[in-house]
Amino acid sequence: MFLFKKVPSINQTELQAKLKGPIELIDVRSPEEYAQGHIAKAKNIPMERIKSYKGKGKPVYLICASGARSKRAAQQLIAEGIEAYNIDGGMMQFMGPVKVGKK
C-alpha cells in the first residue's frame, strides 16, 4: 500500500544548505500557524489545499510543525508525479530565522 512507502526526506542540516540557494519550499500549516512564524522563502499552501499545487518541474520541499502533515503532503504530490521531499522535524526543529506575518 502506498501510504506505507518511504517518503523522501531531508534533515534540518540539509534544509539549511538548500536555503542558501533558490528553493521551492511549501509550508502546509494553517494560515494562522504560518503567520506565527515561517521560513522567509516558504509559500503557504495549507494541507487541505495541497492537491491544488501544480509542480514547476523542480523538486519541492514541504514543511509543517513536526513533519507529519508535510509527509502526507509529500505522499500526495508524489502520487501526482511531483518530486517532493518532507523536511524531518518541521518547524519545531528549525533553528534558523523566522518571519512573522502572512507574507
Side-chain angles (χ1 to χ4, degrees), residues 4 28 97:
F4 297 107
V28 298

Side-chain angles (χ1 to χ4, degrees), residues 2 6-8 73-85:
F2 179 75
K6 186 163 174 53
V7 172
Q75 289 172 328
Q76 289 180 15
L77 294 180
I78 290 167
E80 297 294 322
I82 297 169
E83 184 180 355
Y85 296 85

Side-chain angles (χ1 to χ4, degrees), residues 10-79:
I10 64 168
N11 62 35
Q12 294 291 328
T13 303
E14 292 167 312
L15 173 61
Q16 290 297 333
K18 292 201 177 290
L19 287 172
K20 292 177 181 173
I23 183 174
E24 181 71 10
L25 178 62
I26 297 176
D27 190 319
V28 298
R29 297 177 299 158
S30 71
E32 295 78 21
E33 290 173 293
Y34 179 82
Q36 290 174 2
H38 60 274
I39 299 169
K41 291 185 175 187
K43 178 172 31 169
N44 185 220
I45 302 177
M47 180 67 193
E48 61 271 6
R49 290 193 3 234
I50 198 65
K51 285 190 176 185
S52 69
Y53 176 77
K54 302 298 179 217
K56 297 181 179 179
K58 58 184 177 179
V60 61
Y61 298 87
L62 300 135
I63 195 164
C64 65
S66 67
R69 282 178 283 181
S70 54
K71 183 177 181 178
R72 288 194 320 270
Q75 289 172 328
Q76 289 180 15
L77 294 180
I78 290 167

